[in-house]
Amino acid sequence: MKRIGKQTVRLSEGVTILSAASTVGPKEAEGPLGKYFDQKTEDSFFGEKSWELAESKFVEKNMRLAVQKANLKSEDIDYILCGDLLNQCTGSTFGIKNLDIPFFGLFGACSTMGESMSLGAMLIDGGFANHVLTGASSHFCAAEKQFRFPLPLGTQRPPTSTWTVTGDGAVVLARKGDGPKIVEITTGKIVDMGVADVNNMGAAMAPAAAALLKAHFEDTGRTPQDYDAIATGDLGTIGRELVVELLGKEGYLLDNRYTDCGIEIFDAEKQDTHAGGSGCACSAVTFCAYFYPKLLSGKIEKMLFIPTGALMSTTSSQQGQSIPGIAHGLVIEGCRKGAEEC
Amino acid sequence: MLIKAFVVGGLICVIGQLLIDKTKMMSARILVLYVCIGCILGGLGIYQKLEEFAGAGATVPLTGFGFRLAEGVKQEIDKIGFLGIFMGGIKAASAGITAAVFFAFLAALFAEPKEK
Amino acid sequence: MDTSKKGQQKYAEMVKKASPNSPVFGDCIKAFVSGGIICTIGQLLLDFYIGMELSEKNAAAWVSITLVGLSALLTALGIYEKLGKFCGAGTIVPITGFANSVVSPAIEFKKEGMVFGMAAKMFVVAGPVIVYGTLTSMLVGFVYYFVK
C-alpha cells in the first residue's frame, strides 16, 4: 500500500521530472521571471487568427519543446495529460492533436498542472507508463473573452483582481533518469467557503490551499519548516495572506519560504496586475522556468508545489453560486548539491 | 452653459463611480440602472429641468438616453394615443441605437481584436 | 475547514480585512473630470449644430451620433479601453460608454463569424440597456396615458 494518510500517497520509487519547458506571452516575458522562460512570443496572437488558436499554439510549441529537452521523441511518450480554461478544453486538444500520443484531457481549472503531474506520476508508479508528458495552459485574452468582457470594453479592474497568465508549462515525467523527483502526492478536496466575488479569486481559493496544507502536514507528520520552498499556484497577495492566517490558526507557521507563483510572475506595481497572476499557466510556467532549475541545481532540496484552482463557470457565477476551490500538492525532491547524479 | 454641463455631467459620473467602488456593480448594470432612472425622472417631469439647466451635462450621460425614451413615449401618446406607448420610446432613441449598430459594424469590419 | 454558515461568515470577515478597497476618492475625481469633459464636448457639439440652424431636437440627435462615432473610433483603435481603465465611470456613464459596450463585442467576436459572432454578440453587454429602457418607457407611457 502506497497510501500514507487520508489524502497523501508515497510513490514506491520517485518519479523523475526529466525536463520542464515554458512558453509565455509578452507580458510574462517583461515580468521578473522573464529571463527564465524558454520561449517568448512577441504578441499574444502568436501568428494565429484567434486567441483560442493562439493558446493551442502555445500548447503545441511548448509540449514539443518539453519532449525535445528530455532528448526523447513523441513516440517515446506513453501518455499526455493536460488541460486549460477554455470551454471543453479546446486550448489543449487543438494544441496536441497532431502529437499522436494517447491523451487524457483534464480539467482542474488553474490547479491543472498539479492534477496532471499527480496523475502522470501515479501512472508511472503504477507501472502503466515509462514516459508521461503533462502540462497546463491559459491565455489572458481568451480567458477575458470567455469569463469577463470583450477586451476593448473600458472597465476598471478592482484591486483584488488577478491577471491571467498567457503561456504553457509542460514537464516530461519518467520512470528512470536523472533529475528532481516527485515523491509524494497529496490530493485536494473541494472547499467552498462561500466567496462569490469573481474579482477576488485568491480569497475564493485560499481555504482549499490551506486545507490541503493541513492535510499534508497531518498525513506526513511534517511541518512547513521541513521544506526549502512551498509554492501555491495563483492565490496572489491576498490569497497568500489568507493562507498564512488560516494555517496560523491551525498551529503551522508559514514564513518567507512560502510564496505564491502569482506573486513571483508579475511585478504588481509596474505591470498593473493588482493582486498577482492567475490561470493554469501561472503555476505551470513558474514551476517549469523558476523552480525546476533550482531543484535541478540543488538550491532547493525539497519543495511542496500546490497549484490551486477555482472551479466555477460563467453560468454558475451568473446563477449566484459561490466559487468552490481546489488544490493539488506534490512533494518534489531536488538534486543534492554536489551529487554527480540525482 | 459649458461649465454647468461639465459640473452636472461630472457629478452624474461620480455617482456611477461610487456605485462601482462601493457595491462592486458591473458596468452593464450601471448602464441599465441609469437608463431606467433617467426614464422615470423624465416621466415625472423632473429631468426636463435638469436638461434646461445643464444641457449636454444632462443629456450625454445615459440617464439622458432614458429621458429621451420617456419624452418620446409621451409625445407619441399625445399624437396618436395608446399606440404611442409602443412606438414612442425606441423612436426617440433611434439615432443613438442606429448609430451604435452602424459604427459597431464598421469598426468590426476594419478593426482586429487587440491585446491589452 | 469549517464550511458551516458560521465558519463562512468568519472567513468573509477575514477576506474583507485582507482585501484592499478601491481608491474611492481618486477614482471619483477621475470620473468627475473625464465625465465632465465628455459632457462639455457634447455641449460644444450641441452649440455647433444649433449654430448650423438645426432644430434643437435634430441637433441633439446629431450630438448622439457624433459621440457614438467618436467612441467607436477610439474603441477600434484600442484607446477607449485605456481611457476606461483610468476614468472608470467617467467613460462608462456617458453615451460614449454605451457605444463602447456595443462596439467592443462586435470586434471581439467577429472571429466567430459575421452573423453568429459579430452581429449576435453585438448587444451582449448593452442589450439589457435597450430591454429595460424600452420596458421602463412603456411603464412611463402607461402611467402617462391613464393619468394625463
Side-chain angles (χ1 to χ4, degrees), chain A:
Chain A
M1 194 64 175
K2 300 170 188 177
R3 185 160 277 275
I4 57 165
K6 270 189 156 171
Q7 289 173 246
T8 307
V9 297
R10 183 171 293 141
L11 304 176
S12 40
E13 296 167 64
V15 167
T16 306
I17 306 174
L18 219 47
S19 72
S22 55
T23 304
V24 297
K27 193 176 179 88
E28 292 69 25
E30 284 168 15
L33 304 185
K35 59 176 184 253
Y36 301 114
F37 298 117
D38 296 313
Q39 299 182 111
K40 301 159 214 176
T41 62
E42 277 180 19
D43 79 297
S44 299
F45 265 121
F46 211 165
E48 294 293 324
K49 286 202 305 251
S50 69
W51 306 128
E52 294 77 9
L53 286 172
E55 177 165 346
S56 295
K57 191 162 175 188
F58 275 100
V59 174
E60 175 164 12
K61 288 258 176 192
N62 195 55
M63 290 283 182
R64 286 188 192 278
L65 180 67
V67 176
Q68 191 193 325
K69 282 178 90 175
N71 291 320
L72 294 170
K73 294 202 163 62
S74 64
E75 52 263 35
D76 300 324
I77 308 290
D78 301 310
Y79 291 104
I80 182 164
L81 273 62
C82 61
D84 62 280
L85 291 176
L86 299 185
N87 290 332
Q88 287 75 43
C89 289
T90 51
S92 301
T93 51
F94 282 70
I96 61 143
K97 65 180 181 181
N98 295 325
L99 292 184
D100 205 26
I101 300 170
F103 166 62
F104 285 119
L106 303 179
F107 181 78
C110 310
S111 75
T112 301
M113 192 61 182
E115 186 181 4
S116 65
M117 286 171 76
S118 297
L119 293 173
M122 286 175 175
L123 278 177
I124 289 175
D125 202 61
F128 301 106
N130 283 317
H131 295 110
V132 178
L133 177 55
T134 82
S137 65
S138 55
H139 193 299
F140 173 79
C141 303
E144 288 288 303
K145 182 177 166 186
Q146 178 175 315
F147 289 100
R148 292 185 81 242
F149 296 113
L151 290 173
L153 192 71
T155 53
Q156 278 176 328
R157 308 169 71 82
T160 52
S161 66
T162 48
W163 190 282
T164 307
V165 170
T166 300
D168 181 85
V171 295
V172 173
L173 305 179
R175 177 185 298 282
K176 295 197 183 90
D178 292 341
K181 286 183 172 56
I182 301 172
V183 293
E184 284 164 4
I185 294 160
T186 303
T187 304
K189 298 178 192 170
I190 292 176
V191 180
D192 187 343
M193 286 297 275
V195 176
D197 185 358
V198 290
N199 284 312
N200 200 350
M201 293 290 201
M205 296 185 285
L212 183 110
L213 281 160
K214 183 170 174 253
H216 179 78
F217 295 139
E218 279 172 1
D219 286 350
T220 58
R222 290 185 209 121
T223 67
Q225 282 61 44
D226 291 318
Y227 294 93
D228 301 320
I230 299 175
T232 46
D234 59 346
L235 302 179
T237 44
I238 297 161
R240 181 188 181 277
E241 198 183 317
L242 288 165
V243 167
V244 172
E245 199 179 335
L246 286 168
L247 261 260
K249 284 184 180 166
E250 302 291 341
Y252 296 103
L253 173 73
L254 287 171
D255 49 27
N256 59 11
R257 73 190 81 193
Y258 165 48
T259 187
D260 181 81
C261 298
I263 297 173
E264 300 292 329
I265 195 162
F266 291 126
D267 184 329
E269 285 283 309
K270 274 191 210 148
Q271 297 188 284
D272 196 30
T273 49
H274 302 290
S278 60
C280 300
C282 183
S283 58
V285 301
T286 305
F287 175 79
C288 293
Y290 182 64
F291 288 112
Y292 182 78
K294 290 192 169 188
L295 286 159
L296 207 55
S297 69
K299 263 192 190 153
I300 296 175
E301 287 190 11
K302 191 174 184 122
M303 90 171 276
L304 185 52
F305 177 47
I306 312 168
T308 41
L311 301 172
M312 86 312 175
S313 73
T314 47
T315 307
S316 72
S317 286
Q318 280 165 0
Q319 291 180 357
Q321 300 300 313
S322 54
I323 303 166
I326 183 86
H328 289 293
L330 295 128
V331 177
I332 302 162
E333 288 182 349
C335 306
R336 294 247 163 69
K337 261 182 211 159
E340 296 230 332
E341 289 174 351
C342 100

Side-chain angles (χ1 to χ4, degrees), chain A residues 49 145 152 154 200 203 272, chain C residues 11 19 81 85 100 104 111-112:
Chain A
K49 286 202 305 251
K145 182 177 166 186
N200 200 350
D272 196 30
Chain C
Y11 183 64
S19 307
E81 180 267 316
K85 206 165 93 182
N100 171 245
S104 299
K111 303 290 175 189
E112 283 74 35

Side-chain angles (χ1 to χ4, degrees), chain B residues 43-107:
Chain B
L44 295 172
I46 297 169
Y47 211 86
Q48 283 80 345
K49 298 201 173 82
L50 193 66
E51 193 209 5
E52 279 163 29
F53 177 75
T59 52
V60 168
L62 223 61
T63 39
F65 193 76
F67 162 62
R68 201 147 289 153
L69 293 171
E71 282 282 275
V73 111
K74 284 205 256 178
Q75 283 164 13
E76 203 69 11
I77 289 171
D78 287 341
K79 246 194 256 168
I80 61 172
F82 190 82
L83 193 57
I85 297 171
F86 286 87
M87 292 177 68
I90 300 274
K91 199 172 170 185
S94 58
I97 297 173
T98 308
V101 170
F102 172 65
F103 288 117
F105 176 69
L106 270 191

